[in-house]
Amino acid sequence: MSSPIVEIEGDIDTDELNPFTMILPQDGHDNGATPQQQQQQLHFLQSINSNVVIRQLPSEGLSFQLWPAATILVTLLDNTRSGESTPFSELFKRQEKGDSLPLRILELGSGTGVVGIAAAAILGAKVTVTDLPHVLPNIQFNVDANSKVLEQQCGGVDVAELSWGDNQHMEAVGRDYDLILGSDVVYHDHLYDPLIETLRFFLLGGGKKIAFVMAHLKRWKKESVFFKRAKKLFDVQIIHTEPPPDGSRIGVVVYLFTGKR
């Protein structure tokens, strides 16, 4: 499964494909990046016949780059809206039963914000994207760059600080969500426990049953520690396995976490 992506580095002359040329000079959240330090990618969303454009800042660190797991989630969401059977089909059945309220989605470790922005546009959802404070300006930049398509699709994106395990941050974003998303969030081993505590708060702390869908590309054996700990609190199942891309032995795996009954 591949998502149509066009990567554009540096300056672009075509304003129609580059809203950044209109936003960057006036935007105070540019992270001090020069055009040469930026990479911009267009994700074509077939289900709504629109592009989502995302700015990456590779020199700023891992959180400012796009990773395969995020692309897979975007593609699955897009395919769901197009009518294909995907792991999200069952999760979104409540809308088909006449629920007129928009989906409320929380994204953990949003990075560039691509998953949350795409989810809002594809589903007409109200999405809260979260990450550490130094990452938020670039996420807000990307939200602003896609404001037109979000408005056209009746989607909305809020940007909020959320350090995993921080009760004050978690209380601030609240528990009123239908779904939680994450991609490539199992990375640093010192964050395994804070991530599990965050999932405990959202999946087990309220009266409403919420699912966490996580796309993950395995990199190290030590990641098994996270899954072993998580399975003590949550039912964890694989709901999608992506074939490995050319030159790789491992593909992205999508997991569903729900509170143990």
Side-chain angles (χ1 to χ4, degrees):
M1 179 187 300
S2 60
S3 177
I5 298 174
V6 178
E7 182 169 316
I8 311 161
E9 296 190 23
D11 291 316
I12 308 170
D13 294 328
T14 308
D15 285 349
E16 182 180 356
L17 295 179
N18 183 23
F20 302 98
T21 59
M22 295 177 284
I23 296 175
L24 184 55
Q26 294 82 22
D27 195 293
H29 302 309
D30 63 1
N31 294 74
T34 66
Q36 289 71 30
Q37 294 172 318
Q38 302 179 43
Q39 294 178 5
Q40 299 156 17
Q41 287 190 338
L42 294 173
H43 290 252
F44 178 67
L45 305 178
Q46 184 175 0
S47 63
I48 58 172
N49 194 32
S50 299
N51 286 314
V52 165
V53 61
I54 297 295
R55 179 180 75 168
Q56 299 183 84
L57 302 171
S59 63
E60 298 291 324
L62 298 174
S63 298
F64 297 82
Q65 302 175 55
L66 288 167
W67 298 99
T71 301
I72 295 303
L73 278 188
V74 171
T75 304
L76 288 172
L77 289 166
D78 195 22
N79 290 346
T80 303
R81 174 70 186 271
S82 296
E84 295 183 27
S85 178
T86 76
F88 286 109
S89 300
E90 288 294 321
L91 294 172
F92 297 152
K93 269 191 174 179
R94 78 175 190 89
Q95 280 196 317
E96 299 172 4
K97 295 178 180 178
D99 192 338
S100 60
L101 294 175
L103 281 169
R104 289 182 53 84
I105 297 174
L106 173 68
E107 185 186 8
L108 303 178
S110 300
T112 63
V114 62
V115 173
I117 293 168
I122 292 168
L123 303 170
K126 304 304 179 185
V127 181
T128 300
V129 292
T130 65
D131 215 308
L132 297 172
H134 72 285
V135 184
L136 301 186
N138 192 53
I139 298 179
Q140 186 64 60
F141 184 97
N142 286 329
V143 172
D144 294 341
N146 292 284
S147 59
K148 184 176 180 180
V149 67
L150 290 170
E151 182 179 359
Q152 289 172 340
Q153 300 300 322
C154 299
V157 179
D158 292 321
V159 180
E161 177 182 357
L162 177 53
S163 299
W164 297 340
D166 187 307
N167 285 321
Q168 184 175 355
H169 290 174
M170 293 187 290
E171 291 286 355
V173 301
R175 290 191 174 99
D176 187 18
Y177 299 99
D178 303 298
L179 179 67
I180 302 176
L181 298 175
S183 58
D184 272 332
V185 291
V186 180
Y187 193 86
H188 296 297
D189 54 0
H190 70 280
L191 293 177
Y192 291 173
D193 285 340
L195 176 55
I196 288 173
E197 286 305 307
T198 301
L199 294 177
R200 184 205 295 264
F201 177 90
F202 289 110
L203 301 187
L204 304 178
K208 183 177 181 180
K209 185 174 181 179
I210 306 174
F212 173 53
V213 176
M214 181 185 80
H216 176 67
L217 182 63
K218 182 178 179 181
R219 293 178 174 86
W220 301 288
K221 290 182 179 179
K222 65 182 180 182
E223 294 164 6
S224 63
V225 173
F226 167 81
F227 288 97
K228 183 177 180 180
R229 293 175 184 173
K231 288 177 180 178
K232 293 180 180 179
L233 296 171
F234 313 107
D235 290 322
V236 182
Q237 58 179 304
I238 294 174
I239 57 174
H240 177 79
T241 301
E242 190 70 14
D246 293 341
S248 177
R249 296 181 300 169
I250 301 173
V252 171
V253 176
V254 181
Y255 296 86
L256 176 67
F257 291 64
T258 53
K260 281 188 176 293
R261 297 178 182 178

